[in-house]
Amino acid sequence: MHRRPRPTVGIVYPDHAAEDDYPFAADLLGVDLPVAHIYGTDLHAVPELLDLGSPAKLAGGAAQLAGEPLDALVWACTSGSFVYGPDGARDQVELLSRAAGGVPTTSTSIAFVAALRALGIERVAVAASYPRDVADLFVAFLTDAGIEVVSLADAGIDTAAEVGTLTAEQVVGFVRDNDHPDAQAVVVPDTAMHTLRILRELEKEVGKPVLTANQVTVRHGLELAGYTVGCPELGTLFEEEVDHGAR
């Protein structure tokens, strides 16, 4: 059950790229997803990502949402969370929760693990927009959670802004070309990539679930708010018959 007819999940989002995925999802699901932006260089490079996900910057994002009736809060940046490693990512969301007055809080990296567990998926193909060294850190994050990565593709794109300019056709082609027959799902880990409007097309292309960063961010945020809703347009993860109780 949820506390309000329209639950509110705050989104702390880095810079600008694909944040329009969130109002699209909010309208589709009948929820509120206010977005607060924090800023740094948008390079997919470890030092810059560590700075982007620093406590001070995340606290600044939480402060922007102080006037919202938050039911949950999400740090909507995969690379800016997994770059800290599993323990660091957990510490990150605990600090963010305290900055937001104790509301349930998660991050996109943690949301990916929650989504895979909810669907019972153990083997994945990763189609990452990042350079290889950053993509390898995401693989390590999933591996620590018990997920087997059977293949990894990296597009080697240096900035989030460039990822945000990829067309739907380019995204579909990238996901299709980097599936693997042994994978139970394809994981696409970048909140800078527009995916929510094409999830059904992505899943049709590969014939299996596709989990994308903005999709799992919304889903886990709503779960933490105590709210579940079926919406097949947003892919297998949002199908009503799937048990999403795991967090």
Side-chain angles (χ1 to χ4, degrees):
M1 298 182 63
H2 55 278
R3 295 196 297 273
R4 298 181 182 87
R6 288 179 65 93
T8 299
V9 176
I11 305 295
V12 178
Y13 191 90
D15 294 286
H16 296 276
E19 65 267 30
D20 54 317
D21 267 3
Y22 293 102
F24 171 77
D27 289 344
L28 203 59
L29 297 170
V31 301
D32 292 323
L33 301 171
V35 177
H37 292 274
I38 61 174
Y39 297 95
T41 66
D42 72 341
L43 280 175
H44 288 144
V46 172
E48 285 79 7
L49 292 170
L50 289 169
D51 176 69
L52 190 62
S54 66
K57 289 202 170 169
L58 294 183
Q64 293 177 53
L65 296 167
E68 299 284 350
L70 296 180
D71 295 295
L73 181 63
V74 189
W75 167 219
C77 182
T78 324
S79 55
S81 47
F82 69 68
V83 73
Y84 279 83
D87 291 339
R90 286 188 285 270
D91 291 342
Q92 194 179 49
V93 298
E94 288 174 8
L95 288 168
L96 183 56
S97 178
R98 288 200 291 273
V103 300
T105 303
T106 188
S107 69
T108 305
S109 294
I110 292 171
F112 266 116
V113 173
L116 291 165
R117 288 176 175 166
L119 294 174
I121 290 169
E122 299 175 343
R123 300 183 310 280
V124 302
V126 172
S129 55
Y130 317 124
R132 186 71 177 207
D133 62 330
V134 175
D136 283 340
L137 293 176
F138 182 60
V139 171
F141 191 92
L142 294 181
T143 300
D144 181 82
I147 305 300
E148 180 184 357
V149 177
V150 298
S151 67
L152 168 64
D154 61 275
I157 299 175
D158 287 328
T159 68
E162 184 179 351
V163 174
T165 67
L166 295 175
T167 66
E169 285 123 357
Q170 288 174 311
V171 173
V172 171
F174 181 60
V175 172
R176 180 187 60 238
D177 293 346
N178 293 297
D179 184 20
H180 189 282
D182 293 336
Q184 297 168 288
V186 182
V187 171
V188 188
D190 195 341
T191 58
M193 186 180 291
H194 291 91
T195 61
L196 294 194
R197 292 169 175 83
I198 57 171
L199 274 161
R200 274 310 188 197
E201 184 178 357
L202 291 172
E203 294 194 332
K204 182 179 178 181
E205 283 289 329
V206 299
K208 63 185 67 171
V210 175
L211 299 181
T212 74
N214 290 329
Q215 175 206 41
V216 302
T217 295
V218 173
R219 184 75 226 190
H220 201 212
L222 290 172
E223 286 177 359
L224 291 182
Y227 185 86
T228 57
V229 58
C231 183
E233 186 173 345
L234 293 179
T236 301
L237 186 62
F238 276 81
E239 288 182 353
E240 290 180 293
E241 65 269 27
V242 174
D243 178 7
H244 298 291
R247 295 182 186 175

